[in-house]
Structures are given as C-alpha cells and as structure tokens.
Amino acid sequence: MDHLLHLDRTLDELDPPRWTPPAADATHLVRKVHELRRVRLGDLGPADLRTLVSQQVALPYVLPLAVRLLLDEPLIDAYFYEGDLLLAAVNAPASAWALLPDLDARLRTVITTLPEAAVADLPGGAAEELARFVARPESLR
C-alpha cells in the first residue's frame, strides 16, 4: 500500500484506534503528539515528522513522508539541528523498515553518498548511527 496516497487524512483516521485526549497533566510532548495525530498527513512539516518518528507513532505512515523529505535534503534541520530528521529515521525500529523495503534501500543509498565532512559535523555518535543503519543485516531489514 502506498501510504503517500492518504495525504488528506489524519493518523487518527488511518491508524486506529483514535487516541483519547491527553490527560490534563500530560507533558508538552504528549500533548503535541496527540495534536499531530489530528493533522492531515499532507500538512505535517519536518519538525512534526521528526517528533512522530522519534516517538515511534504510526511509522508506516510517517516514515514514508520523512523519507520523501530526506531523499531531497538528507541533512534537513527539522527542529533541533542539521540531520535531526535523518537520525530519527535511522533509529526507527527495524520492524518498521521491514514494511518499507524500497524506502529503506533508497535511504541507505542516500546515506552512503553523504559527504564525510557533513557527517562529521553531525552530533556525536551520529556517524555510528548512520553506519549501523546502512550495515544492518538483511535479516533485520
């Protein structure tokens, strides 16, 4: 299924069950994730996608959107720093990537073509995270 066909729908519609409103004392992050589930997929920006991917929410729907951005601009600064969306994506569970083998392969290719200097400018440990994603055994893809 092409998850990009659903850009006019929300995660609450596509990824049942609908979430109940967050508790009154919920953290800002919890309230934000709940709010993002009610936004049309086509209206989610890079920072929204970074939040959802990092929190592992509805990955079959948000990873394709994130990868679409990353194919054009792999080191996009979504919210915190250059490459933050990329690092969120490569840290998504292998089980989520197993559902998206074509996107997994395309992202691997993009990562392998990143200039060494650009990777070196990422936060500490980022180069290792990218290398781990690229080198993940076939059985875990």
Side-chain angles (χ1 to χ4, degrees):
M1 172 167 53
D2 184 353
H3 298 290
L4 295 178
L5 294 176
H6 303 292
L7 296 177
D8 61 334
R9 298 185 62 200
T10 69
L11 292 174
D12 267 354
E13 294 171 320
L14 295 167
D15 184 47
R18 288 180 186 266
W19 288 13
T20 59
D25 63 345
T27 66
H28 173 73
L29 178 60
V30 169
R31 287 192 309 274
K32 181 66 175 175
V33 170
H34 278 256
E35 174 188 315
L36 291 174
R37 286 189 53 91
R38 295 186 309 270
V39 174
R40 289 174 356 118
L41 293 184
D43 293 335
L44 293 171
D48 302 327
L49 293 171
R50 190 210 142 285
T51 297
L52 291 166
V53 171
S54 295
Q55 296 303 306
Q56 300 183 13
V57 174
L59 291 175
Y61 296 99
V62 297
L63 272 176
L65 296 172
V67 172
R68 182 173 67 170
L69 292 175
L70 293 169
L71 294 177
D72 289 334
E73 191 177 345
L75 298 177
I76 187 171
D77 180 342
Y79 189 74
F80 290 115
Y81 52 84
E82 189 173 61
D84 57 353
L85 180 58
L86 177 61
L87 292 174
V90 301
N91 283 303
S95 58
W97 286 108
L99 300 172
L100 306 163
D102 293 342
L103 294 177
D104 181 281
R106 291 177 71 190
L107 189 58
R108 284 171 198 287
T109 299
V110 166
I111 291 169
T112 60
T113 63
L114 289 173
E116 196 172 306
V119 173
D121 286 342
L122 295 174
E128 292 80 10
E129 291 175 40
L130 295 175
R132 182 179 37 80
F133 180 81
V134 169
R136 195 172 63 223
E138 186 77 32
S139 62
L140 297 177
R141 293 185 197 163

